[in-house]
């Protein structure tokens, strides 16, 4: 055989160089302390406005204790798919707890929120079907749509008028149809018009799937999310979310009717062919579901902190978005080159905040995540640091 002398992996070097030129390259920041409102990075303590740990539960001693105890009793790994050796009483308890919290008949726990969305969307529709999705939906919903082989129609962000036009035009071409949206949008900090979407779904005979990843623990009387906050509990829909943001652990779930969950147990590939959620993650998540409902003061404090930070930002002359009081606050950055420089400089100034850039989002933005455990002094300090970065913003 003749040797070509070509390196079949050389394209990787070129691809990475292209990323660098576009200022798309990302680096990892190593956190060397327990999760909290202040974390240690590179031997410095920085204010943490970068995490999804909205209620400060990821470092909560009760979650640590629940995970530790469960590991001592049952070990670490689930050892197999839930359908084989991987099903534990802990999983069932968590699912019962989730269904009660969400006020649905049933719930099913997946090994991540990503897996829950991907597998559920792919299981619900096929090549004869249609998906109507918000243009800014999270990657897991978009990839699930691709995997399903259904025809995908994207509607303008939160635009029910546009959604209706698409339904009017295309609904009749398909057997089943699914409308899919995030509730609290992770990269925009706004919420979907859920009641109007459900009304349209009824009119056009569509299923609705909502991803509550960021809304859990943040909205609703029991912290049960945007579905609860908008009075839509009890309406027929498919509620997906994760256990890894305000719930401080890891894993994903689907909550809905008995028949939906029974179907997914037989048809969702990411549930069937993946190892059950690990023992410590499961136990910690169950503890978090109980804490969120039992300690509404955390959610109330988060609400006050959101209000406080928005007010301070507005007073300091920042273009603070109006609308729903969301813990995700976005400030647009001038351009991607500025964005690339901004993150390390902010960090050196003592503020850990996410700079979100293409290709994750169309335009660069600074993303501040509020926690219930931020003190007023920490909120003030963050705005103080940010005021030196005014010229970086659009
Ligand atoms: C974070 C996120 C997910 C993924 O959840 P993981 O548990 O981290 O896999 C899914 N959907 C949305 C909207 C998210 O923000």
């Amino acid at each position: 055989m003749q040797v070509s002398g070509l390196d079949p992996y050389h394209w990787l070097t070129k691809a990475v160089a292209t990323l660098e030129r576009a200022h798309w390259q990302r680096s990892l920041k190593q956190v060397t302390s327990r999760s909290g409102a202040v974390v240690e990075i590179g031997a410095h303590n920085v204010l943490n406005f970068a995490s999804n740990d909205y209620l400060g539960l990821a470092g909560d001693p009760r979650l640590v204790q629940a995970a530790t105890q469960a590991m001592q009793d049952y070990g670490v790994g689930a050892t197999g798919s839930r359908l084989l050796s991987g099903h534990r009483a802990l999983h069932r308890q968590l699912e019962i707890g989730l269904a009660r919290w969400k006020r649905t008949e049933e719930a099913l726990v997946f090994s991540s929120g990503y897996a829950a969305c991907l597998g559920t969307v792919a299981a619900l529709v096929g090549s004869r079907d249609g998906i109507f999705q918000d243009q800014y939906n999270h990657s897991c919903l978009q990839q699930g749509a691709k995997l399903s082989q259904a025809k995908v129609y994207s509607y303008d962000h939160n635009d029910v008028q546009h959604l209706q036009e698409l339904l009017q035009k295309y609904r009749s071409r398909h057997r089943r149809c699914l409308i899919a949206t995030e509730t609290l949008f992770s990269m925009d900090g706004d919420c979907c018009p859920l009641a109007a979407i459900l009304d349209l779904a009824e009119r056009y005979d569509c299923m609705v799937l909502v991803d509550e990843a960021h809304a859990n623990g943040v909205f609703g009387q029991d912290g049960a999310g945007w579905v609860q906050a908008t009075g839509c509990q009890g309406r027929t829909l498919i509620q997906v979310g994760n256990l890894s943001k305000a719930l401080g652990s890891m894993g994903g779930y689907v909550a809905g009717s008995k028949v939906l969950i029974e179907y997914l147990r037989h048809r969702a590939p990411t549930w069937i062919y993946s190892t059950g959620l690990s023992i410590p993650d499961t136990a910690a998540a169950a503890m978090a579901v109980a804490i969120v409902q039992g300690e509404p003061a955390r959610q109330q404090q988060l609400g006050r902190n959101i209000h406080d930070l928005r007010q301070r930002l507005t007073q300091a002359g920042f273009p603070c978005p109006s609308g729903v009081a969301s813990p995700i606050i976005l400030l647009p950055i001038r351009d991607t080159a500025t964005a690339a420089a901004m993150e390390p400089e902010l960090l050196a100034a003592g503020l850990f905040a996410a700079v979100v850039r293409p290709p994750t989002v169309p335009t660069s933005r600074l993303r501040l995540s509020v926690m219930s455990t931020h003190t007023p002094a920490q909120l003030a300090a963050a705005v103080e640091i940010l005021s030196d970065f005014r010229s970086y913003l659009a």
Side-chain angles (χ1 to χ4, degrees), residues 14 48 69 97 99 113 126 132 157 187 193 212 252 255 258 272 305 313-314 320 322-323 342 350 377:
K14 285 212 279 193
N48 185 9
Q69 186 62 54
F132 296 81
H157 180 53
M187 295 300 159
E212 293 257 63
K258 263 197 159 74
I272 301 169
N305 285 359
L313 284 169
T314 308
C320 210
S322 54
M342 190 170 186

Side-chain angles (χ1 to χ4, degrees), residues 112-115 117 138 140 182 186 211 213-214 242 244-245 250-251:
S112 73
Y114 202 105
C117 285
H138 190 268
C140 60
E182 290 180 43
S186 53
D211 182 350
H214 287 274
N242 62 20
S244 53
K245 286 174 177 153
M250 186 68 208

